[in-house]
């Protein structure tokens, strides 16, 4: 009897070993649906009514923490998603739509975290852009930090439960979409201990009030119930003759698009929009008005909406110099009690009148504001 039992146990072990050998190769096999892979190139192969999805053969790990996708062609709608999913993820869903998956979507710049409703996360991506996704394994409490990049710069990060292995995934949903996949891309590493360098860009800001920084994204976190519930993000250093221009993209206009872009003195009140108080000048997106040290604005340019680019710069005179150099806090923006002449290139045909007004002491510079890189106007300040 013992010999018979031993024989059956031996046959059972042989069967289990054979099953293990059959299953093991399948475990590390990539999965894709409605997509074609030609080397490192992935192409959508559907009718635009159904999602195509690719899941890599191996998950991200300590040895391989990061991968990138370069958009070769956005196709009809550019509905390309890059993220992480469980290995048995349903391939007729975009990454990020189902539980335990997360993805950054190129067409709307939103983050999808186990839900078909995304949250505003970063800029939209187009042809030629590189989208990266990586993990940091140093989080506590069973959490895993997932971060995303665009063209080598971090967009933002979030923590997800480290319940199972997460595999690189790419989703597409319209004709003509094509990407270049790099599963062996490298993220910047410190030489000493191999920790990932994730730049939150918080060091670029001198003051943040009711504003949250996530990579290059600024998000209002205040109550928004009264006129004093203003969020302010002020850069650490002033504009100068070397760095005289900056711009932003409105990724989400919120309820009323109360977004202002401009210049202000270093000790500007944190609960006042730029342009409302002395020592500041700003272009307001919601009404297209210019505010210069006053709560009453002047008609200046077009209103701005989601997807618009707003820029602000200074056109310095050739002989401009500051006694304190680039380390100066800012120029004396308090000197003008009322706006000097405003020149609006798109909406007004203001004629130059050098004899009008009274000369103020100091050096005059031309402040220039842009919408979608077209100049709606300039104003001269001292």
């Amino acid at each position: 009897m013992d010999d018979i039992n031993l024989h059956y146990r031996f046959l059972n072990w042989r069967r289990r070993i054979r099953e293990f050998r059959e299953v093991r190769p399948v475990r590390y096999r990539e999965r894709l649906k409605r997509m074609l892979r030609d080397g490192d190139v992935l192409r959508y192969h559907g009718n635009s009514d159904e999602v195509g999805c690719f899941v890599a053969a191996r998950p991200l790990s300590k040895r391989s923490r990061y991968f990138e996708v370069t958009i070769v062609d956005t196709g009809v709608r550019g509905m390309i998603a890059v993220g992480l999913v469980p290995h048995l993820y349903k391939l007729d869903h975009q990454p990020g739509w189902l539980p335990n998956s997360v993805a950054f979507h190129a067409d709307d710049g939103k983050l999808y975290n186990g839900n078909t409703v995304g949250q505003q996360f970063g800029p939209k991506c187009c042809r030629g852009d590189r989208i990266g996704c990586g993990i940091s394994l140093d989080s506590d409490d069973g959490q895993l930090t997932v971060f995303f990049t665009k063209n080598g710069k971090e967009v933002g990060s979030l923590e997800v439960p480290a319940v199972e292995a997460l595999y690189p995934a790419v989703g597409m949903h319209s004709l003509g979409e094509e990407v270049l996949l790099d599963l062996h891309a490298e993220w910047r590493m410190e030489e000493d201990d191999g920790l990932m360098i994730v730049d939150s860009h918080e060091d670029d800001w001198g003051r943040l009030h009711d504003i949250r920084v996530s990579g290059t994204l600024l998000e209002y976190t205040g109550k928004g119930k009264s006129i004093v519930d203003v969020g302010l993000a002020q850069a650490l250093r002033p504009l100068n003759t070397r760095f005289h221009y900056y711009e932003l993209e409105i990724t989400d206009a919120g309820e009323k698009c109360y977004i202002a872009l401009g210049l202000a003195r270093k000790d500007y009140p944190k609960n006042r929009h730029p342009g409302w108080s002395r020592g500041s000048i700003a272009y307001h997106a919601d009404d297209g008005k210019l505010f210069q040290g006053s709560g009453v604005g002047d008609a200046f340019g077009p209103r701005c909406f989601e997807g618009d680019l707003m820029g602000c710069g200074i056109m310095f005179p050739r002989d401009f110099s500051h006694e304190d150099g680039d380390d100066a806090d800012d120029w004396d923006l308090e000197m003008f009690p009322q706006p000097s002449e405003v020149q609006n290139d798109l909406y007004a045909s203001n004629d130059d009148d050098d004899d009008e007004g009274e000369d103020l002491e100091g050096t005059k510079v031309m402040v220039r504001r842009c919408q979608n890189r077209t100049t709606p106007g300039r104003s001269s300040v001292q």
Side-chain angles (χ1 to χ4, degrees):
M1 182 64 69
D2 291 340
D3 292 339
I4 295 176
N5 289 337
L6 182 62
H7 175 70
Y8 279 111
R9 290 176 63 184
F10 175 73
L11 292 177
N12 187 44
W13 274 108
R14 287 186 62 184
R15 179 179 59 82
R16 294 181 63 182
I17 291 173
R18 185 169 60 252
E19 290 177 351
F20 176 76
R21 288 176 176 174
E22 291 175 354
V23 172
R24 186 175 182 181
V26 175
R27 182 181 177 186
Y28 295 109
R29 182 183 301 167
E30 67 184 30
R31 303 170 59 236
L32 70 166
K33 186 176 183 180
R34 301 186 188 93
M35 297 179 72
L36 296 177
R37 181 173 182 181
D38 182 10
D40 293 330
V41 177
L42 289 174
R43 298 184 180 92
Y44 179 73
H45 189 63
N47 58 10
S48 292
D49 293 330
E50 298 174 306
V51 171
C53 188
F54 165 85
V55 179
R58 293 180 178 272
L60 294 188
S61 61
K62 290 183 178 180
R63 296 181 60 184
S64 178
R65 301 187 180 188
Y66 180 74
F67 76 101
E68 280 188 344
V69 166
T70 301
I71 300 177
V72 179
D73 197 328
T74 56
V76 178
R77 290 178 288 181
M79 301 178 70
I80 299 171
V82 178
L84 301 174
V85 302
H87 188 244
L88 297 180
Y89 192 78
K90 294 182 179 180
L91 299 180
D92 53 355
H93 290 74
Q94 282 275 28
W97 282 3
L98 297 181
N100 301 322
S101 70
V102 60
F104 178 45
H105 287 222
D107 60 313
D108 55 13
K110 290 185 178 181
L111 179 75
Y112 291 77
N113 185 13
N115 199 312
T116 55
V117 179
Q119 298 179 339
Q120 198 59 53
F121 186 69
K124 299 177 184 179
C125 302
C126 55
R127 182 177 181 179
D129 285 336
R130 288 183 294 114
I131 304 174
C133 178
I135 60 173
S136 172
L137 304 176
D138 303 315
S139 301
D140 299 327
D141 302 327
Q143 297 289 311
L144 183 71
T145 300
V146 178
F147 67 93
F148 293 90
T149 67
K150 177 184 177 183
N151 298 329
K153 296 183 179 180
E154 193 210 356
V155 175
S157 63
L158 75 159
E159 290 190 349
V160 299
V163 294
E164 56 183 314
L166 292 176
Y167 292 70
V170 179
M172 300 184 190
H173 201 178
S174 73
L175 294 174
E177 292 172 348
E178 182 178 326
V179 302
L180 183 66
L181 178 67
D182 185 359
L183 294 175
H184 305 289
E186 295 184 359
W187 183 241
R188 298 188 305 273
M189 308 290 287
E190 289 184 350
E191 295 181 357
D192 295 338
D193 54 12
L195 296 178
M196 277 183 274
I197 303 173
V198 180
D199 187 4
S200 67
H201 293 269
E202 289 188 0
D203 294 340
D204 295 339
W205 301 98
R207 287 196 303 161
L208 292 168
H209 173 67
D210 283 346
I211 297 289
R212 179 171 59 205
V213 178
S214 179
T216 57
L217 186 73
L218 296 178
E219 181 182 2
Y220 175 66
T221 59
K223 298 178 180 178
K225 294 183 178 180
S226 69
I227 195 172
V228 297
D229 291 330
V230 173
L232 179 70
Q234 189 172 41
L236 182 64
R237 301 177 66 85
L239 297 186
N240 55 52
T241 52
R242 292 184 59 194
F243 305 100
H244 53 84
Y245 176 79
Y246 75 101
E247 66 181 19
L248 59 82
E249 178 184 355
I250 302 177
T251 57
D252 192 333
E255 294 181 4
K256 299 182 179 179
C257 197
Y258 287 159
I259 299 172
L261 178 81
L263 305 172
R265 66 177 191 267
K266 186 175 182 179
D267 59 345
Y268 192 77
K270 63 182 181 181
N271 61 346
R272 300 280 289 172
H273 261 307
W276 282 0
S277 296
R278 295 182 61 199
S280 69
I281 181 171
Y283 179 30
H284 286 223
D286 60 308
D287 55 12
K289 291 185 177 180
L290 178 72
F291 291 76
Q292 189 169 333
S294 172
V296 179
D298 296 322
F300 184 71
R303 297 172 58 192
C304 301
F305 303 94
E306 182 174 324
D308 283 340
L309 291 173
M310 298 178 64
C312 178
I314 296 178
M315 301 175 66
F316 291 93
R318 291 180 178 270
D319 57 349
F320 177 84
S321 63
H322 198 286
E323 296 178 356
D324 297 327
D326 291 344
D327 294 330
D329 291 339
D330 30 77
W331 315 288
D332 187 8
L333 292 178
E334 295 188 29
M335 58 314 121
F336 38 86
Q338 263 306 12
S340 50
E341 183 179 0
V342 174
Q343 178 182 342
N344 187 313
D345 293 346
L346 295 183
Y347 281 74
S349 56
N350 299 338
D351 297 326
D352 293 336
D353 189 355
D354 296 335
D355 297 332
E356 184 177 351
E358 143 180 39
D359 289 338
L360 301 177
E361 296 181 358
T363 302
K364 286 188 177 182
V365 296
M366 186 74 72
V367 179
R368 177 174 180 257
R369 280 154 296 278
C370 299
Q371 185 210 31
N372 296 327
R373 294 176 180 159
T374 301
T375 305
R378 304 181 179 92
S379 58
S380 178
V381 299
Q382 186 177 23

